[in-house]
Amino acid sequence: MTALRYAQADTQSFMADPAAETMSRDALAALQLERLKATIARAYERVPHHRAAMNEVGFAPGDLKSLDDLERLPFTVKGHLRDHYPFGLFAVPREALLRVHASSGTTGKPTVVGYTKADLENWADLMARSFACAGARPGDIIHNAYGYGLFTGGLGAHYGAERLGCTVVPMSGGNTERQILLLADFKATVLCATPSYALNIAECAAQQGVDLAAGPLRLGIFGAEPWSEAMRQELEQRLGLAAVDIYGLSEIMGPGVACECPSRNGLHGWEDHFLFETIDPETGRRVPEGHAGELVITTLAKEALPMIRYRTRDITRLSTSPCACGRTHVRIMRITGRNDDMLIIRGVNVYPSQIEAILVGFPDIAPHYQLVVERRGALDHLTVEVEANALVAESADAADKAAAAVRHHIKSMIGVTCDVAIKRPGEIPRSQGKAVRVRDLRPKV
Ligand code: DLL
């Protein structure tokens, strides 16, 4: 186990592993190259899929001389995990796995990921690093409302919080009234949840007359789904905490691949363990730093499931410019959405988080929403279903006015024409984990 070294507590420069987090960019690149060579060689030797993929493009592990050579390697995509379901992409015998996680998989087979002892140790270290980066400290009481089970959120956050030296309340998702009781009684200082579930908790607390904002909660570590700056402000105000963005995905590790620091200008991606690229999703070519593209990640220290150029489908920008917090690791800008969640409505690209940012700005509208997409004739049609407060939702006149105002804002800010259907409080399904933002009713082709 890597011993965690703590810099001065309660300053912005508090880091779980200062030596790793402030390494010079040159030293990081050298470490990346060394680890990349080992990863590629291991994957070639032990995983038939990776060997075949490299052979197909005429790449031998010895050809990797610089980090730029990585661009010659083919991508790995989610479909490859499904094709080799359940254990076919592992680089270790099944007996060496201490744990597996899996995605629920809305279509077909789930994707299965696995961890050796060393992988679990590294994951706990990187989660502890992420928590500290977000502002958590040893001694904090962390109320963990990420789902426990096959989803990586619950257990990933759990072991990271323990590694940092925090008291973990392993709540999991759901049973919201009980969550509020325990948040108040145990005096949690940090809340971990998806942003949509955190909103659900805030609302439920208000209904019960519990003022969580007046209590000791000071930090929310929210992720696992796209969310907007506007939602950040909403959660901060309702819960009386600083809301920080955390990113990760099971195929690469789980939560803790990247996390915001107090500068809140992008999420530091831990480059001693992962290599980040952004590509044009159409051509597969790298885009220059600062340009929006699909995030592609290669693991550098994973034993069980080395991933080579994994296409995340997440759209973001990268920045290696210096950060005020002192960390040298690349910043991954807030993820606006997934390629596959992007709607193209009459030629306009729309992400749910863009609509969310507009809805949060209306005082009578609650940020509980779903986007319903249908085919009308040859065109796609978007209806934004959104809840209003009871006063507005119960009056046809007020509801019409609110709908018109929202429609107008969406048209002028995003450029897309849509219908807006005002719903009563509670009519939009609440999430206990990742919120379902899109109902796509278009015929499947
Ligand atoms: O969602 C891991 C996680 C758990 C991250 C808890 C953060 C907190 P998956 O279920 O495999 O893993 O889903 C990964 O969720 O590719 C993104 O599309 C999305 N996602 C995760 N974090 C963020 C974020 C976990 N901060 C997929 N912002 C990723 C936007 C996010 N999208």
Side-chain angles (χ1 to χ4, degrees):
M1 179 167 71
T2 311
L4 290 179
R5 297 168 291 278
Y6 297 113
Q8 309 147 275
D10 300 314
T11 70
Q12 286 214 339
S13 64
F14 177 93
M15 293 177 198
D17 191 347
E21 292 172 63
T22 61
M23 204 181 258
S24 75
R25 301 249 2 122
D26 283 349
L28 259 179
L31 180 65
Q32 284 194 317
L33 181 59
E34 180 195 316
R35 290 186 168 180
L36 183 61
K37 282 181 178 168
T39 297
I40 301 286
R42 230 175 107 76
Y44 188 89
E45 217 173 87
R46 299 183 177 211
V47 186
H49 165 81
H50 291 308
R51 183 163 53 244
M54 285 187 235
N55 285 342
E56 201 168 309
V57 297
F59 190 97
D63 294 344
L64 190 103
K65 305 279 185 233
S66 76
L67 289 176
D68 286 339
D69 290 334
L70 180 64
E71 221 183 331
R72 293 174 46 204
L73 283 171
F75 297 113
T76 308
V77 297
K78 204 180 188 82
H80 292 138
L81 282 147
R82 296 224 170 93
D83 295 345
H84 298 278
Y85 175 85
F87 299 150
L89 284 191
F90 289 136
V92 295
R94 204 272 312 141
E95 292 75 11
L97 300 178
L98 291 200
R99 198 195 304 161
V100 293
H101 282 284
S103 78
S104 49
T106 41
T107 50
K109 300 247 170 72
T111 39
V112 180
V113 299
Y115 307 79
T116 63
K117 188 169 194 310
D119 291 335
L120 291 176
E121 291 293 332
N122 282 335
W123 188 10
D125 280 345
L126 290 181
M127 263 313 281
R129 197 194 278 186
S130 299
F131 275 141
C133 182
R137 299 291 176 261
D140 265 318
I141 300 181
I142 297 197
H143 181 103
N144 185 14
Y146 286 123
Y148 281 65
L150 288 175
F151 175 52
T152 52
L155 288 171
H158 183 102
Y159 288 107
E162 285 187 356
R163 179 68 43 100
L164 186 61
C166 304
T167 309
V168 193
V169 184
M171 268 312 291
S172 196
N175 213 340
T176 311
E177 289 185 6
R178 196 168 167 75
Q179 303 249 4
I180 291 156
L181 181 86
L182 297 190
L183 270 166
D185 288 355
F186 294 177
K187 302 194 170 26
T189 47
V190 180
L191 170 64
C192 289
T194 59
S196 57
Y197 190 52
L199 181 68
N200 196 345
I201 291 176
E203 214 175 50
C204 197
Q207 278 159 10
Q208 288 179 28
V210 178
D211 185 3
L212 289 175
L217 261 186
R218 61 177 180 80
L219 182 65
I221 304 181
F222 302 139
E225 62 185 5
W227 53 308
S228 59
E229 256 334 285
M231 181 67 93
R232 185 198 315 255
Q233 281 163 24
E234 180 86 8
L235 288 170
E236 293 194 330
Q237 193 226 324
R238 287 195 188 209
L239 289 167
L241 44 66
V244 174
D245 197 4
I246 185 165
Y247 171 78
L249 62 166
S250 51
E251 295 88 336
I252 294 301
M253 181 176 78
V257 171
C259 190
E260 272 184 328
C261 67
S263 311
R264 292 164 164 235
N265 184 17
L267 295 80
H268 288 286
W270 305 124
E271 287 181 284
D272 47 343
H273 283 260
F274 311 107
L275 199 148
F276 301 94
E277 304 170 82
T278 33
I279 60 158
D280 176 333
E282 301 294 324
T283 65
R285 294 264 166 74
R286 277 192 192 165
V287 297
E289 180 175 326
H291 286 60
E294 179 181 334
L295 186 65
V296 169
I297 310 180
T298 300
T299 62
L300 298 174
K302 284 279 291 294
E303 285 186 344
L305 190 59
M307 271 295 171
I308 298 170
R309 304 197 83 199
Y310 185 73
R311 288 188 64 158
T312 64
R313 303 271 161 209
D314 295 322
I315 304 297
T316 184
R317 291 175 292 117
L318 299 179
S319 167
T320 55
S321 63
C323 182
C325 74
R327 291 177 182 83
T328 48
H329 294 235
V330 67
R331 277 172 294 149
I332 299 170
M333 296 304 152
R334 181 187 278 284
I335 285 159
T336 34
R338 290 176 62 78
N339 251 354
D340 23 20
D341 274 354
M342 187 182 80
L343 303 170
I344 304 177
I345 307 293
R346 296 174 194 191
V348 183
N349 297 353
V350 189
Y351 288 107
S353 60
Q354 288 174 290
I355 306 260
E356 172 185 296
I358 290 174
L359 298 177
V360 173
F362 284 87
D364 296 330
I365 298 284
H368 295 292
Y369 67 98
Q370 271 188 341
L371 310 185
V372 183
V373 196
E374 296 157 282
R375 180 65 48 82
R376 292 194 186 162
L379 293 178
D380 288 340
H381 183 86
L382 172 65
T383 304
V384 177
E385 295 187 347
V386 62
E387 284 178 17
N389 64 29
L391 221 58
V392 169
E394 302 296 337
S395 144
D397 208 30
D400 281 351
K401 278 200 184 115
V406 172
R407 194 164 49 234
H408 173 76
H409 262 73
I410 292 176
K411 174 75 185 161
S412 60
M413 307 285 286
I414 308 178
V416 71
T417 307
C418 62
D419 284 339
V420 174
I422 299 291
K423 300 284 177 187
R424 293 196 167 83
E427 271 191 331
I428 302 280
R430 295 292 188 265
S431 95
Q432 300 187 344
K434 294 177 194 251
V436 177
R437 297 302 193 193
V438 178
R439 282 198 344 259
D440 194 340
L441 307 179
R442 289 174 292 190
K444 299 274 171 286
V445 278

